[in-house]
Amino acid sequence: PSVDPDAAVVYPPVMIDFDASSIVPSTRDLLQVLSTRRKSLAVVALIGPEKPAEDAARLVDQNVSALAFSEPGSAMQLGARATKTVPSLCLMPIEDKDGNLAARYWGADGVCIAVDKSEGEWDRLAKGARTMRMLPIAMARDAEGIEAAVKAGARAILLRVASALAFIDATKSVPRNVTIVVEIEGADADVLRAVVGKADAAIVPP
């Protein structure tokens, strides 16, 4: 399994037991719903594994902009299939071609790629995502990671930080044409209000 040392998250090995020949390109535009040019905050609802279809349908009725899932698998597939229009994001970092294939097979319209990859590796994984019409999102944790993501040509960045203040400090110089998604663990209404006008979208926990 891969380990995210900063978040102390252990990601399971990517499931490769799927029929790659059955994969079809995404038809839902994740970038379009995430990119608000900071004029509003798009809500990306994090869906848990217990009742993904029911939770996804309920949140779609509440007009969330997108759905997020911690990893590819049946929960993401059930949640993604609960809506025909709202796109889904796979939060587990993509490590290789099989990761891209698995994410799309289970219903992802966008994937996360860590910015600590070599430039050529990031480009290769991002291109693999785009060939299936998924949005490659650069995953960063600080201003240095954001700078690397912008240099790599990422159109969207997911910034995982501990607080709204850390987010604001890290994103002061991000170009307006780069879409910024923030994920702050345990974010409440006050945290979300603090990032309005500074982020395009936010991952909102259940």
Side-chain angles (χ1 to χ4, degrees):
S2 59
V3 179
D4 183 335
D6 294 320
V9 175
V10 179
Y11 294 101
V14 173
M15 291 172 288
I16 58 174
D17 185 18
F18 57 86
D19 180 7
S21 67
S22 68
I23 296 174
V24 296
S26 169
T27 58
R28 296 181 284 202
D29 192 338
L30 181 59
L31 182 61
Q32 184 178 46
V33 301
L34 295 181
S35 182
T36 65
R37 298 298 177 103
R38 325 280 204 271
K39 294 178 180 179
S40 61
L41 188 68
V43 172
V44 183
L46 182 61
I47 304 297
E50 292 81 14
K51 296 180 179 179
E54 294 90 335
D55 289 344
R58 173 176 55 81
L59 289 163
V60 166
D61 285 343
Q62 295 176 14
N63 295 319
V64 299
S65 298
L67 306 173
F69 300 86
S70 61
E71 63 188 55
S74 58
M76 184 164 70
Q77 188 176 60
L78 290 169
R81 286 180 174 178
T83 171
K84 294 184 181 297
T85 57
V86 177
S88 294
L89 170 63
C90 179
L91 294 174
M92 188 177 81
I94 297 302
E95 298 290 341
D96 52 29
K97 177 182 177 181
D98 282 339
N100 264 327
L101 291 170
R104 180 62 205 136
Y105 176 82
W106 294 109
D109 304 292
V111 293
C112 296
I113 304 171
V115 294
D116 57 4
K117 301 285 185 188
S118 67
E119 185 174 346
E121 179 74 357
W122 199 96
D123 288 344
R124 185 177 65 81
L125 292 172
K127 182 178 180 180
R130 286 191 291 265
T131 61
M132 291 176 276
R133 296 183 184 173
M134 295 190 296
L135 172 66
I137 299 181
M139 184 180 288
R141 295 200 168 278
D142 50 31
E144 184 179 346
I146 287 178
E147 183 179 354
V150 172
K151 183 178 179 182
R155 298 176 65 189
I157 301 170
L158 171 62
L159 182 61
R160 283 180 161 170
V161 287
S163 67
L165 181 60
F167 170 79
I168 293 168
D169 287 343
T171 56
K172 289 178 179 177
S173 60
V174 180
R176 282 273 174 177
N177 64 342
V178 175
T179 297
I180 296 292
V181 183
V182 60
E183 183 178 13
I184 301 172
E185 186 175 357
D188 57 16
D190 289 338
V191 170
L192 296 177
R193 279 192 288 269
V195 301
V196 170
K198 300 174 179 63
D200 290 88
I203 308 292
V204 178

